[in-house]
C-alpha cells in the first residue's frame, strides 16, 4: 500500500538524559540498535559521522574509511541503507564558538577538515547525501559575529566540500535556535538561499524538521511546500512540538494531528516518495518511558504517518475543489475535521 521508505538515526534510541538530569535507561550498543530497524518497520539509517566511526578525531583518513566500510557490511547484512551522514560539529572544544563561523581560524579549519572526513564516511557507507544541522553557527550576542561574513563562511565550507568530492549533495537542516539564541540559517528559505552563494546550487537542498519549523513560528507543511516547489526537499525529519519551547522531538502527530496530516498530504500530493526520498523521523522517547518499551515512539510515528497517509488518499478532492470554488472555507474546515475524526 505504501511506497514510503522510513529511516531514523541511532540517536533516536537514547538513554533519556536531559540538561537537568542524567540518563534513565541503559545504553544500547550500535549493533543491537541495527537489529531493531527492520522489526520496527524501517529500512534507512541516518548517521552522524561519529555514529559510524566514534573515534574519528584520533584516526587517519584510511582508518576512518576502513571502519566505515565495516559498518557498511553490517548494513548490508541487515538489508539496510545509509540515508545520509551529518558532521557532528557541536561537541568538540574546537566548535564552542561555532564550526564554519567560528571567530578562530584554526577552529574553522578543524570544522572543514572534519567535514571532508564526513564525506569519506558517507562514500564508504554508500550514500552521497550529507546533512548539515548547523548547530552552533549562530550567536548568543549579536555583536560577536558579522552575519555577512558568517554566511559567506558557511558557503565557503560547502565549496571546499564540493571541491573535495564531485558527487556529494548537501541537505541543510534549518533551525532557528537551540543551542544558539539566533542561528544564521533559521528557515528553509535561508537554506535554499545559501545554496545560491555556493559554486553549485544544484547540489544544495534541504531537510525539513517539523519541530524546527514550528520553533520558527512556521507551519511545517508550508516549509515543505516551499522546498518542494524548488525541488529541494531531499529528506525530512518528522516529529512534533508543543509550542515555542525546547526542541521536543515528540512522536510525529502526537501534539497536532491536523498539522501532521497536512505534512503527509503535501508529501503525498507532490510525489515525494516517488522521487526516491525517504521519510526520516527525528523523534525521542519520553524521559519517563521505561526501558522495555523505549522504541515504541519510532513504530508509533511510522504507524501515525501511515494512518494519515490513508486519510490523505481518501480525502474527497472533488468536495474540496467545490468548497474552494465557493470560497466556503468554514465548510472545508469542518470537512477536514470530520475526515480526520473518521466520519
Ligand atoms: C537537532 C537535530 C539533529 C539533526 C542531525 O535539533 O535535529 O538531530 O537532525 O544532526
Ligand atoms: Mn533533526
Amino acid at each position: 500500500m505504501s511506497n514510503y521508505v522510513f529511516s531514523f538515526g541511532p540517536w533516536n534510541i537514547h538513554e533519556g538524559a536531559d540538561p537537568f538530569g542524567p540518563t534513565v535507561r541503559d545504553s544500547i550498543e550500535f549493533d543491537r540498535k541495527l537489529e531493531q530497524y527492520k522489526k520496527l518497520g524501517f529500512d534507512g539509517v541516518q548517521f552522524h559521522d561519529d555514529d559510524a566511526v566514534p573515534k574519528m578525531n584520533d584516526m587517519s583518513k584510511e582508518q576512518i574509511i576502513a571502519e566505515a566500510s565495516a559498518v557498511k557490511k553490517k548494513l548490508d547484512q541487515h538489508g539496510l541503507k545509509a540515508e545520509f551522514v551529518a558532521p557532528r560539529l557541536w561537541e568538540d572544544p574546537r566548535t564552542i564558538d561555532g564550526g564554519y563561523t567560528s571567530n578562530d581560524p584554526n577552529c574553522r579549519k578543524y570544522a572543514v577538515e572534519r567535514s571532508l572526513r564526513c564525506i569519506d564516511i558517507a562514500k564508504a557507507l554508500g550514500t552521497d547525501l550529507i546533512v548539515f544541522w548547523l548547530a552552533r553557527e549562530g550567536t548568543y550576542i549579536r555583536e560577536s559575529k558579522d552575519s555577512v561574513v558568517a554566511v559567506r563562511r558557511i558557503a565557503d565550507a560547502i565549496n571546499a566540500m564540493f571541491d573535495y568530492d564531485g558527487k556529494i549533495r548537501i541537505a541543510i537542516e534549518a533551525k532557528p535556535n537551540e543551542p544558539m539564541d539566533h542561528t544564521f540559517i533559521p528557515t528553509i528559505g535561508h537554506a535554499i538561499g545559501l545554496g545560491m552563494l555556493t559554486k553549485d546550487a544544484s547540489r544544495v537542498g534541504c531537510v525539513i524538521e517539523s519541530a524546527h519549523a514550528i520553533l520558527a513560528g512556521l507551519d511545517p507543511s508550508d516549509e515543505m511546500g516551499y522546498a518542494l516547489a524548488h525541488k529541494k526537499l531531499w529528506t525530512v525529519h518528522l516529529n512534533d512540538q508543543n509550542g515555542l519551547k525546547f526542541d521536543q522531538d515528540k512522536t510525529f502527530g502526537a501534539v497536532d494531528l491536523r498539522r501532521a496530516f497536512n505534512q503527509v498530504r503535501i508529501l503525498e500530493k507532490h510525489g515525494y516518495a516517488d522521487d526516491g526520498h525517504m521519510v526520516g523521523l527525528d523523534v525521542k522517547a519520553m524521559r519517563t518511558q521505561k526501558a522495555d518499551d523505549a522504541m515504541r515512539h519510532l513504530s508509533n510515528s511510522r504507524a501515525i504517518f501511515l494512518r494519515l497517509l490513508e486519510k490523505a488518499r481518501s480525502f474527497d478532492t472533488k468536495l474540496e475543489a467545490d468548497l474552494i470554488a465557493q470560497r466556503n472555507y468554514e465548510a472545508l474546515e469542518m470537512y477536514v475535521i470530520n475526515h480526520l475524526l473518521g466520519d
Side-chain angles (χ1 to χ4, degrees):
M1 172 264 191
S2 151
N3 47 346
Y4 288 85
V5 174
F6 294 86
S7 72
F8 71 85
W11 65 91
N12 291 128
I13 300 173
H14 73 118
E15 299 82 0
D18 70 17
F20 302 98
T23 59
V24 291
R25 295 181 285 264
D26 288 342
S27 293
I28 297 177
E29 278 175 37
F30 176 73
D31 288 2
R32 300 285 83 73
K33 289 182 182 177
L34 276 192
E35 289 164 7
Q36 301 304 318
Y37 271 77
K38 288 273 180 182
K39 291 184 207 159
L40 292 164
F42 290 77
D43 297 286
V45 184
Q46 310 167 16
F47 283 91
H48 292 120
D49 48 10
D50 58 4
D51 291 323
V53 185
K55 300 214 162 58
M56 61 182 289
N57 272 350
D58 307 322
M59 295 164 70
S60 68
K61 174 177 166 173
E62 292 68 32
Q63 288 169 325
I64 289 171
I65 292 173
E67 194 162 316
S69 305
V71 175
K72 169 76 166 77
K73 285 211 180 86
K74 289 183 197 171
L75 293 179
D76 292 346
Q77 279 158 12
H78 289 287
L80 297 170
K81 234 178 101 45
E83 186 193 13
F84 67 72
V85 185
R88 198 195 298 271
L89 288 174
W90 50 93
E91 290 184 354
D92 193 273
R94 287 164 286 189
T95 59
I96 288 172
D97 193 27
Y100 312 126
T101 67
S102 172
N103 284 320
D104 180 334
N106 288 323
C107 295
R108 294 199 297 275
K109 190 160 174 271
Y110 162 75
V112 172
E113 275 166 10
R114 167 95 180 210
S115 306
L116 303 187
R117 297 294 78 76
C118 176
I119 295 174
D120 296 334
I121 293 172
K123 288 170 74 179
L125 291 177
T127 178
D128 66 355
L129 190 60
I130 303 288
V131 160
F132 258 22
W133 171 48
L134 299 164
R136 298 193 189 278
E137 313 303 355
T139 54
Y140 296 114
I141 67 160
R142 177 51 53 234
E143 297 81 3
S144 63
K145 289 179 188 172
D146 178 327
S147 49
V148 174
V149 174
V151 169
R152 287 187 182 143
R153 281 182 172 156
I154 302 173
D156 287 346
I158 293 175
N159 286 339
M161 293 171 76
F162 287 167
D163 286 343
Y164 181 70
D165 184 273
K167 288 223 172 70
I168 55 124
R169 298 173 298 137
I170 296 181
I172 298 174
E173 183 173 346
K175 184 177 180 183
N177 62 287
E178 200 207 38
M180 308 311 293
D181 181 15
H182 290 290
T183 68
F184 295 119
I185 310 296
T187 71
I188 285 316
H190 290 82
I192 292 173
L194 176 66
M196 291 188 217
L197 290 179
T198 70
K199 54 170 60 172
D200 191 353
S202 73
R203 293 167 70 191
V204 181
C206 59
V207 186
I208 290 175
E209 173 160 327
S210 323
H212 297 180
I214 296 162
L215 285 170
L218 301 171
D219 179 80
S221 74
D222 280 351
E223 283 280 87
M224 289 176 187
Y226 187 86
L228 286 163
H230 286 82
K231 300 205 179 307
K232 291 292 190 189
L233 190 56
W234 294 348
T235 184
V236 289
H237 262 178
L238 299 185
N239 56 20
D240 215 345
Q241 172 74 26
N242 201 7
L244 301 183
K245 51 184 82 171
F246 63 94
D247 184 5
Q248 295 183 297
D249 295 339
K250 280 173 168 288
T251 291
F252 179 58
V255 178
D256 187 333
L257 216 43
R258 182 176 176 184
R259 188 168 60 193
F261 167 70
N262 282 317
Q263 292 170 66
V264 176
R265 188 160 189 244
I266 198 95
L267 297 177
E268 171 68 3
K269 246 178 117 174
H270 294 280
Y272 173 82
D274 303 331
D275 288 341
H277 304 303
M278 290 192 196
V279 173
L281 294 168
D282 196 2
V283 287
K284 298 254 164 61
M286 289 175 248
R287 190 166 191 265
T288 43
Q289 182 59 48
K290 290 185 185 170
D292 53 8
D293 213 5
M295 295 181 202
R296 188 180 278 265
H297 59 302
L298 290 157
S299 49
N300 282 354
S301 292
R302 179 179 176 276
I304 291 167
F305 181 98
L306 291 174
R307 289 198 64 182
L308 291 173
L309 182 62
E310 281 170 28
K311 290 288 174 190
R313 288 179 176 170
S314 58
F315 197 74
D316 185 344
T317 49
K318 163 89 178 55
L319 176 62
E320 179 192 29
D322 288 349
L323 294 175
I324 288 172
Q326 294 162 32
R327 195 158 37 87
N328 193 345
Y329 298 158
E330 297 294 349
L332 177 59
E333 178 151 89
M334 201 58 202
Y335 169 61
V336 172
I337 298 296
N338 281 334
H339 186 65
L340 288 177
L341 287 174
D343 295 350

